[in-house]
Amino acid sequence: MSELVVKNLHASIEGKEILKGLDLTVRQGEVHAIMGPNATGKSTLAYTLMGHPNYRVTGGEVWFKGQNILELEADERSRLGLFLAFQYPVAIPGVSVANFLRTALNARRRATNPEDKGMPIPEFRKMLKEKMELLKMDSAFAGRYLNDGFSGGEKKRAEILQMATLKPEIAILDETDSGLDIDALRIVAEGVNALTGPNLGALVITHYQRLLNYIKPQFVHIMLDGRIVESGGADLALHLEEQGYDWVREKYENGESGK
Amino acid sequence: MEEKPKIVVTTRTRRPETTAKQFAFTAAMVPGGGALREFRQHAWETFNRLSLPTTAEEAWRRTDLRALPADQFRLPEDGLYKSLPAVPGELLQPLAADAHGGQIVLLPGGASVEFTESLTRKGVIFTDLRSAERDHPDLLAKIMGAIVRPEEGKFAALAATLSQNGVVLYVPKGVSIDQPLHSILWGPGEDLAHLSHILVWVDEGASVTYVHESASPDKSGAALHAGIVEIKVADGASLKLVELQSWGRQVWNFSHERAQVGRDANLDWIFGAVGSRLTKNFSDLDLVGEGATGRMSGFYFIDGIQHLDHDTQQNHLAPHTTSDLLFKGALKGSSRSVWQGMIYVAPGAQKTDGYQANRNLILSQNSRADSIPGLEILADDVRCTHGATVGKLEKEPLFYLKSRGIPDKDAERLLVEGFFDPIMQRISFEGVRARFQQAIHEKTAAE
Ligand SMILES: Nc1ncnc2c1ncn2[C@@H]1O[C@H](COP(=O)(O)OP(=O)(O)OP(=O)(O)O)[C@@H](O)[C@H]1O
Ligand SMILES: [Mg+2]
């Protein structure tokens, strides 16, 4: 069983420290939620775990499958089984969804067997069709340029389509619910639920309890100013929904966070 | 007494940098006799009169020929190809369909022609230049030099006077050819001057697709190609012309090309370039008849020390004419590209619609693209737009692709393919697209 273990992680961007000693463990088969006010560093955590070159790790470790993955490039982390659904997926003009996914799949195959000739096209088509049906996506989508001119909801769906295709062991979903209408939210959540299970560990970053009505977390963490300050069960999210973050701020910004 | 030596020193240090070598061709090399005698003689005089262009001339400002070893080049003697590497089989594959209606292979000191008998019976001529001189002297005398004149430059004059090789394609009135025609100019060997003259004449209401490809293996040393391409698309006719250039890295490549498009006629002109050491190409689209349309689509990918300079003109010389140019290029290594485009609208050419865009993708710090659009509009009721960009691969898309497990090189290739996709969309021939995809693969994979 794979697990992602984050120990005392410090990371900064443009000289400014954002992650200030973060600890977290996510195992395959578990669903964790991270909630926290804007600008506390949730996306920074997601990017840092995935290996974005703009974020500089200044301390701590991240272990995944027996390796300190901080030494690995983003593509190596991905092939190891880590996935990030982006809060703001970028457009890749000129590259179709299908072409992109096939390249990504074949990169995985070639990493295990350099002689691999790539997935046969009929097999790929069939697989893609199944995944797209799962997410109720029109088949014309496969021919569109990746994220280019996609609506907010379409982008989020395309992220989950990629996750379904690449079959990660640990997935970070950064605000996959934002920008979704209620029907799209249900479809995306169902898609995620169809993928979670013993083989997938998920770290769901969200501002809203409503997503957690569909994707039920076993663990909820509150992040504040670059750290996880509270952890609990699903009821912690409900509590936040009712009370907001003031009590968390009061508890941690006066005194304890200064440590 | 003391001042004199100083002056001598100054001139000595400057001279080697400023003067190019001169060609060693002689009047005795000009083919005598036949229908083209006068034309060639005149071109020879022009060749002698014109000097090699220097960067002082506007059109050559960014392309420096001082390193051209002009004195080194010699004409291939008859049959020389027999002792040189043969044309690779993959170049002989049809690119525009499953089969071609005819194929011509131009070689140093020879040519071979294959052509469907049924087309000959319809009056279509598709043959090499020497055979055409022998079999169709009247036609040649009429069309040669009608569109591109030797006076247009040193290299145009050179190709006009000394071309031993070339293609003549003539499609008579109203004849439609379904199967694409294909020709290859194969230029192996060192120190050779490959001179070619391509004549395409599509008569009224006729239509044809023609693919012409120039190629040679990479070699050390140097080689030269100078060529002329003259294209006539007569009233109501239609031509799809694809020109692919994959010269070896030792080739100095020059061409003067012009298409004249008549009333309600249509030209779809495609350029692909991945080769040569240095290329200077002049491509002019002359829309001479009312309702004429022309589309020019170019793609190039260069690396190492390659230098590619493309000069395009879209000349709207009649009302209701439409031109649409899109050139896209990627650059690696220390390569350099220049695109200089001009849309000209003549007085009275009302309701003209002209478009030109050049987009470049710089893949290394040392490569450089110059993109210079231009408009000269002398009519008032027209629509002309242009755009020129030079960009780099962006970080965020690269990270996005890498986060999906795609390694650096593949991610770069995918983004380059994506960059070229809009131009590939304009090319209806699978084989041409595949050829370029392959070049993208090779060039992105190389260090
Ligand atoms: N490229 C950057 N340059 C400078 N500062 C940055 C950069 N990226 C992020 N930051 C800063 O880092 C801090 C944390 O941002 P981050 O995106 O991780 O927050 P977040 O918790 O995901 O917020 P949200 O809930 O709004 O998505 C913010 O103050 C942000 O402005
Ligand atoms: Mg965020």
Side-chain angles (χ1 to χ4, degrees):
Chain A
M1 185 199 58
S2 309
E3 55 178 20
L4 179 73
V5 182
V6 183
K7 286 186 193 164
N8 193 28
L9 186 63
H10 290 255
S12 58
I13 183 151
E14 294 182 359
K16 182 172 141 204
E17 182 166 66
I18 308 291
L19 300 184
K20 300 173 179 172
L22 187 139
D23 294 285
L24 180 70
T25 297
V26 180
R27 295 182 187 83
Q28 237 179 335
E30 296 175 351
V31 176
H32 292 245
I34 290 191
M35 305 182 82
N38 293 130
T40 48
K42 301 181 300 295
S43 293
T44 300
L45 172 65
Y47 279 132
T48 305
L49 292 177
M50 204 64 232
H52 193 294
N54 284 0
Y55 297 85
R56 222 165 69 81
V57 174
T58 52
E61 295 166 8
V62 179
W63 290 86
F64 183 47
K65 290 181 150 179
Q67 285 191 63
N68 185 353
I69 61 167
L70 292 177
E71 289 148 17
L72 302 180
E73 291 275 308
D75 57 313
E76 296 170 298
R77 297 183 197 197
S78 163
R79 294 196 300 272
L80 212 54
L82 198 60
F83 182 86
L84 168 61
F86 285 70
Q87 182 175 2
Y88 303 109
V90 295
I92 314 282
V95 178
S96 71
V97 171
N99 183 16
F100 159 71
L101 281 175
R102 215 161 73 82
T103 309
L105 269 180
N106 288 341
R108 280 176 149 65
R109 291 166 66 114
R110 225 165 328 112
T112 37
N113 171 20
E115 302 299 307
D116 188 84
K117 292 277 179 282
M119 184 184 263
I121 291 184
E123 186 186 334
F124 172 75
R125 288 224 178 98
K126 183 162 167 281
M127 184 279 310
L128 185 58
K129 188 164 171 273
E130 282 169 18
K131 308 286 183 199
M132 289 178 68
E133 278 167 8
L134 173 76
L135 292 162
K136 304 206 166 45
M137 295 170 89
D138 192 280
S139 60
F141 223 79
R144 285 183 62 184
Y145 292 160
L146 183 60
N147 296 330
D148 195 26
F150 284 16
S151 74
E154 286 170 336
K155 281 185 189 165
K156 297 304 168 86
R157 243 185 258 203
E159 292 293 291
I160 302 308
L161 174 68
Q162 294 173 46
M163 176 168 129
T165 308
L166 299 178
K167 297 195 188 129
E169 290 168 20
I170 301 287
I172 306 158
L173 309 181
D174 191 0
E175 298 201 24
T176 299
D177 53 337
S178 66
L180 292 182
D181 65 36
I182 198 73
D183 291 335
L185 180 70
R186 199 170 48 236
I187 293 163
V188 165
E190 279 167 9
V192 173
N193 284 333
L195 302 171
T196 51
N199 295 324
L200 178 69
L203 180 59
V204 180
I205 298 170
T206 182
H207 286 290
Y208 304 106
Q209 165 62 30
R210 61 170 201 171
L211 175 67
L212 304 180
N213 290 335
Y214 295 101
I215 302 174
K216 296 258 186 293
Q218 291 106 329
F219 306 92
V220 174
H221 310 277
I222 300 175
M223 189 166 168
L224 189 70
D225 193 25
R227 278 192 205 99
I228 293 204
V229 293
E230 287 271 334
S231 296
D235 50 329
L236 184 57
L238 284 167
H239 187 67
L240 275 181
E241 183 92 341
E242 286 161 16
Q243 307 286 323
Y245 289 109
D246 283 352
W247 64 275
V248 189
R249 285 205 180 91
E250 265 167 40
K251 191 168 164 190
Y252 294 96
E253 281 179 352
N254 308 325
E256 285 191 55
S257 74
K259 272 191 229 170
Chain B
M1 282 295 278
E2 276 179 24
E3 284 170 344
K4 216 176 176 182
K6 277 183 196 161
I7 296 165
V8 174
V9 169
T10 336
T11 47
R12 255 192 204 153
T13 50
R14 279 189 189 161
R15 184 162 281 158
E17 295 168 2
T18 48
T19 47
K21 301 250 178 15
Q22 294 303 312
F23 286 114
F25 304 117
T26 62
M29 297 173 185
V30 180
L36 300 176
R37 202 177 66 93
E38 251 174 74
F39 172 78
R40 288 206 148 117
Q41 206 52 50
H42 165 74
W44 173 253
E45 283 153 24
T46 309
F47 172 71
N48 273 330
R49 187 164 38 81
L50 298 174
S51 41
L52 270 175
T54 69
T55 50
E57 290 166 54
E58 180 54 32
W60 294 84
R61 213 153 69 106
R62 295 166 186 84
T63 295
D64 191 340
L65 299 184
R66 278 177 301 177
L68 174 75
D71 55 338
Q72 214 170 298
F73 302 123
R74 63 190 165 87
L75 296 177
E77 59 270 25
D78 275 354
L80 179 67
Y81 64 89
K82 289 176 203 145
S83 59
L84 292 171
V87 55
E90 60 165 25
L91 289 185
L92 302 175
Q93 297 305 309
L95 284 177
D98 298 334
H100 32 231
Q103 185 170 67
I104 295 176
V105 183
L106 305 176
L107 299 160
S112 75
V113 179
E114 259 171 50
F115 190 48
T116 309
E117 181 59 34
S118 59
L119 291 174
T120 310
R121 269 184 264 120
K122 286 184 182 169
V124 178
I125 298 168
F126 184 57
T127 191
D128 73 291
L129 188 58
R130 283 193 195 184
S131 309
E133 278 189 73
R134 187 188 59 221
D135 302 338
H136 308 283
D138 296 345
L139 175 74
L140 267 196
K142 176 181 145 199
I143 68 178
M144 192 164 243
I147 293 172
V148 176
R149 290 164 302 109
E151 286 79 6
E152 295 185 27
K154 184 84 172 168
F155 298 102
L158 175 61
T161 184
L162 291 180
S163 278
Q164 329 86 320
N165 246 332
V167 171
V168 178
L169 167 60
Y170 174 76
V171 187
K173 260 186 204 175
V175 173
S176 255
I177 303 180
D178 297 329
Q179 285 185 323
L181 305 176
H182 190 199
S183 62
I184 297 136
L185 172 57
W186 175 241
E190 272 173 67
D191 297 337
L192 293 180
H194 307 283
L195 306 176
S196 70
H197 201 140
I198 311 285
L199 293 159
V200 179
W201 198 279
V202 188
D203 222 330
E204 287 172 30
S207 76
V208 65
T209 294
Y210 172 39
V211 180
H212 177 68
E213 196 164 4
S214 312
S216 62
D218 284 330
K219 288 284 262 179
S220 53
L224 172 77
H225 169 252
I228 289 177
V229 180
E230 302 189 67
I231 303 155
K232 168 90 168 182
V233 190
D235 294 351
S238 155
L239 170 65
K240 275 190 185 198
L241 175 62
V242 182
E243 293 185 56
L244 300 177
Q245 186 268 97
S246 52
W247 286 118
R249 292 172 186 276
Q250 73 284 13
V251 177
W252 297 74
N253 175 41
F254 305 92
S255 73
H256 284 261
E257 317 191 359
R258 184 170 298 112
Q260 218 176 59
V261 186
R263 188 166 36 79
D264 298 323
N266 179 25
L267 171 64
D268 188 357
W269 199 358
I270 294 163
F271 305 82
V274 297
S276 81
R277 163 164 181 180
L278 176 147
T279 287
K280 174 80 191 182
N281 175 304
F282 295 90
S283 304
D284 294 5
L285 171 67
D286 284 1
L287 301 165
V288 297
E290 197 164 341
T293 58
R295 187 165 77 157
M296 299 169 82
S297 311
F299 50 89
Y300 48 91
F301 195 160
I302 52 176
D303 58 9
I305 57 158
Q306 291 183 300
H307 179 110
L308 189 67
D309 181 341
H310 223 126
D311 223 292
T312 64
Q313 289 260 352
Q314 295 151 264
N315 296 319
H316 293 262
L317 307 173
H320 293 280
T321 48
T322 307
S323 72
D324 170 11
L325 178 146
L326 177 63
F327 272 52
K328 296 197 88 165
L331 297 97
K332 268 187 83 166
S334 314
S335 63
R336 166 123 192 241
S337 74
V338 181
W339 171 80
Q340 186 157 15
M342 175 62 78
I343 297 181
Y344 169 76
V345 181
Q350 305 297 6
K351 307 282 181 200
T352 282
D353 188 342
Y355 177 77
Q356 62 173 353
N358 172 232
R359 317 249 172 242
N360 295 284
L361 182 61
I362 299 286
L363 298 172
S364 84
Q365 285 194 329
N366 296 328
S367 57
R368 171 174 163 185
D370 289 320
S371 189
I372 308 137
L375 298 175
E376 189 182 347
I377 299 175
L378 305 178
D380 48 27
D381 186 10
V382 304
R383 204 182 68 168
C384 288
T385 42
H386 62 184
T389 52
V390 178
K392 288 189 213 158
L393 275 190
E394 289 173 65
K395 251 186 176 175
E396 292 305 320
L398 258 181
F399 173 67
Y400 188 82
L401 296 181
K402 284 182 76 176
S403 80
R404 285 359 180 186
I406 301 175
D408 266 317
K409 285 273 178 218
D410 292 344
E412 181 182 310
R413 175 180 50 77
L414 210 52
L415 293 176
V416 172
E417 283 176 0
F419 167 78
F420 280 116
D421 195 75
I423 200 90
M424 293 295 120
Q425 298 284 339
R426 289 164 71 125
I427 300 169
S428 52
F429 312 118
E430 170 74 34
V432 174
R433 290 197 303 266
R435 182 68 59 83
F436 190 58
Q437 299 293 359
Q438 192 192 328
I440 292 176
H441 263 260
E442 286 165 11
K443 296 224 181 201
T444 48
E447 273 317 314

